[in-house]
């Protein structure tokens, strides 16, 4: 289950053009089962009205001068006490300055001053205002006090200017909120390594032997580890999926690059989840220049890649994935024993709803001397949750 489900988030929206993006954040959080109390600053209402947020969250929306809740409780006290996290997005330069100086001149800033919950601030403003030493010093003050500041994106601003100051997209904000909610989770002080995606073995600078792994399942595993409090190192091969904001990510292409990156990453780790679809073979020779038509060899000589899991042994749990197209449980059981794994997650990649490109997956988790655990068809994040619950159980027993 995601940490977002059942969590209480106070979303304080201040008055920048990116306020419209906060409505998407409020919507996505609500869809994930979070109770979102939106608090608007006076200027925020010039950009987006309370009704938008009220319709999206189906909850009371609070305005700058609201003193009481619908239940006649003191608004800043009640909301501050109930929050699991306070998210300030977008945070204008003015809002950041007020927070840094402990001002409490509207409901949102009074909540920020009262709450014991962690605070996440997502600055968004013109690049000149963001770069100004006054803003940077105020942000430094907030960081020193333990506030989590999300770096704004660089790109085109509403004014047409280019620079750093854009509010990051919703998935990034969600990742940071998840990591913040999960910081004291069952994997706190644990280090998890996840490999994800496919590998590419180049024949020449423009051609490779690869596979269609998207990286989605591995990225969801990393996300599930982060939201359980783990320090998460992601070694990401080819694929189309963006890594989660909170992972220490290394990008690789070939199996050998992946092995080198993993050797670094597993130092001091508690568990390795080897989800990557590693190519078993690579061309025996790689041309430095593009092979010309007619110049290609009649066949491609292949040599075997190392087995990464077999090369990565140490004082940590090793969890493999088995992508099978037939006799999957029998094949998998022999892999579990052959590779001396602590667990093996088996999926049938021949199915259209469980294959490489699918949004969903269904797996069976095998462990030595444990009954098989079947995870019926669900989202890839649902599978990731089930796998991480098993990892938590195994790590707890170490
Ligand atoms: N694996 C690996 N190194 C390889 C190939 C696979 O570490 N060169 C890992 C995968 O990341 C996965 C597990 O081994 O966790 C099983 O991968 P899979 O491709 O299903 O099996 P193989 O060992 O390659 O066996 P086969 O291709 O014969 O099914």
């Amino acid at each position: 289950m995601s940490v977002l489900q059942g969590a209480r988030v106070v979303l304080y929206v201040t008055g920048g053009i990116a306020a419209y993006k906060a409505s998407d954040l409020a919507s996505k959080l609500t869809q994930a089962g979070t109770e979102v109390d939106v608090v608007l600053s006076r200027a925020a209402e010039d950009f987006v009205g309370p009704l938008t947020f009220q319709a999206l969250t189906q909850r009371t929306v609070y305005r700058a001068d609201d003193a009481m809740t619908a239940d006649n409780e003191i608004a800043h006290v009640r909301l501050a006490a109930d929050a699991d996290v306070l998210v300030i997005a977008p945070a204008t330069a003015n809002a950041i300055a007020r927070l840094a100086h402990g001002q409490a001149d509207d409901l949102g800033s009074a909540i920020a001053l009262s709450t014991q919950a962690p605070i996440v601030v997502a600055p968004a403003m013109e690049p000149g205002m963001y770069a100004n030493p006054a803003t940077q010093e105020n942000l430094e003050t907030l960081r020193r006090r333990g506030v989590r500041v999300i770096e704004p994106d660089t790109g085109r601003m509403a004014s047409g200017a280019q620079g750093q100051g854009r509010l990051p997209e919703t998935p990034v904000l969600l990742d940071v909120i998840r990591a913040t909610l999960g910081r004291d989770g069952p994997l706190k002080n644990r280090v998890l390594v996840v490999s994800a995606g496919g590998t590419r073995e180049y024949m020449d600078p423009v051609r490779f032997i690869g596979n269609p792994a998207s990286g989605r399942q591995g990225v969801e595993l990393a996300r599930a580890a982060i939201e359980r409090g783990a320090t998460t190192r992601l070694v990401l091969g080819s694929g189309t999926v963006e890594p989660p904001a909170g992972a220490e990510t290394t990008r690789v292409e070939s199996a050998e690059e992946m092995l080198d990156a993993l050797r670094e990453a597993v130092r001091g780790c508690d568990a390795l989840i080897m989800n990557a679809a590693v190519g078993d073979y690579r061309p025996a020779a790689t041309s430095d220049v593009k092979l010309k038509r007619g110049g290609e060899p009649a066949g491609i000589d292949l040599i075997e890649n190392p087995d990464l899991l077999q090369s990565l042994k140490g004082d940590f749990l090793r969890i493999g994935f088995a992508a099978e197209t037939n006799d999957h449980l029998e094949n998998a059981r022999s892999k579990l024993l052959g590779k001396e794994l602590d667990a093996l997650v088996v999926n049938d990649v021949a199915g259209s709803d469980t294959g490489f490109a699918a949004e969903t997956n269904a797996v069976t988790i095998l462990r030595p001397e444990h009954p098989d655990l079947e995870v019926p068809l669900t989202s890839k994040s649902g599978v990731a949750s089930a796998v991480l619950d098993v990892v938590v159980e195994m790590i707890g027993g170490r």
Side-chain angles (χ1 to χ4, degrees), residues 30-336:
T30 305
Q31 288 171 39
T34 307
E35 290 186 1
V36 190
D37 288 316
V38 175
V39 179
L40 301 175
S41 73
R42 288 180 196 93
E45 289 199 35
D46 292 336
F47 293 93
V48 193
L51 194 58
T52 302
F53 289 103
Q54 197 176 336
L56 292 169
T57 62
Q58 289 153 29
R59 292 174 68 79
T60 304
V61 169
Y62 293 91
R63 305 173 69 179
D65 296 318
D66 284 344
M68 306 301 276
T69 66
D71 301 327
N72 280 327
E73 293 189 80
I74 299 167
H76 75 276
V77 176
R78 180 78 266 153
L79 291 168
D82 284 350
D84 293 316
V85 58
L86 167 65
V87 179
I88 307 175
T92 60
N94 184 47
I96 290 164
R98 291 191 293 117
L99 290 170
H101 290 89
Q103 290 182 5
D105 51 8
D106 72 352
L107 177 58
S109 53
I111 294 169
L113 210 53
S114 318
T115 194
Q116 299 298 310
I119 301 178
V120 172
V121 167
M125 65 199 73
E126 280 294 299
M129 294 173 86
Y130 180 67
N132 191 297
T135 305
Q136 288 303 316
E137 279 168 29
N138 287 334
L139 285 171
E140 202 38 53
T141 301
L142 295 181
R143 283 193 195 96
R144 230 184 13 255
R145 293 184 195 144
V147 170
R148 171 81 200 261
V149 177
I150 306 180
E151 285 277 293
D153 281 351
T154 299
R156 185 185 184 280
M157 310 298 297
S159 64
Q162 290 282 334
Q164 188 177 15
R166 288 171 54 88
L167 186 70
E169 297 303 322
T170 304
V172 174
L173 303 177
L174 288 173
D175 277 344
V176 177
I177 295 169
R178 274 196 207 94
T180 307
L181 287 167
R183 70 204 181 289
D184 293 327
L187 295 177
K188 185 180 177 175
N189 299 326
R190 301 290 192 170
V191 178
L192 256 65
V193 179
V194 178
S195 72
T199 52
R200 289 179 171 181
E201 306 292 350
Y202 280 86
M203 296 162 55
D204 73 9
V206 295
R207 298 181 184 92
F208 56 79
I209 299 173
N211 61 58
S214 66
R216 183 175 303 279
Q217 184 62 75
V219 161
E220 290 301 342
L221 287 161
R223 208 165 253 140
I226 294 166
E227 72 171 16
R228 284 163 178 74
T231 297
T232 305
R233 302 174 184 157
L234 175 65
V235 176
L236 183 55
S238 59
T240 49
V241 177
E242 282 296 310
E248 298 164 16
T249 303
T250 309
R251 299 219 68 140
V252 295
E253 288 205 293
S254 68
E256 288 192 310
E257 281 171 21
M258 187 171 278
L259 181 56
D260 288 346
L262 284 170
R263 279 197 212 281
E264 274 296 309
V266 295
R267 284 193 196 168
C269 84
D270 295 281
L272 164 66
I273 307 180
M274 192 69 201
N275 172 252
V278 185
D280 288 324
Y281 296 94
R282 65 175 184 276
T286 308
S287 168
D288 290 342
V289 292
K290 185 182 169 199
L291 296 171
K292 293 288 175 209
R293 180 193 280 273
E296 289 105 343
I300 306 167
D301 286 334
L302 297 174
I303 53 173
E304 216 168 315
N305 272 330
D307 186 307
L308 277 50
L309 258 178
Q310 296 284 40
S311 316
L312 295 160
K313 290 187 178 162
D315 186 23
F316 51 85
L317 297 169
R318 289 155 67 247
I319 296 115
F321 268 69
E324 304 290 349
T325 55
N326 58 309
D327 298 333
H328 51 289
L329 284 184
E330 290 81 289
N331 288 337
R333 263 185 253 285
S334 61
K335 268 179 211 174
L336 177 73

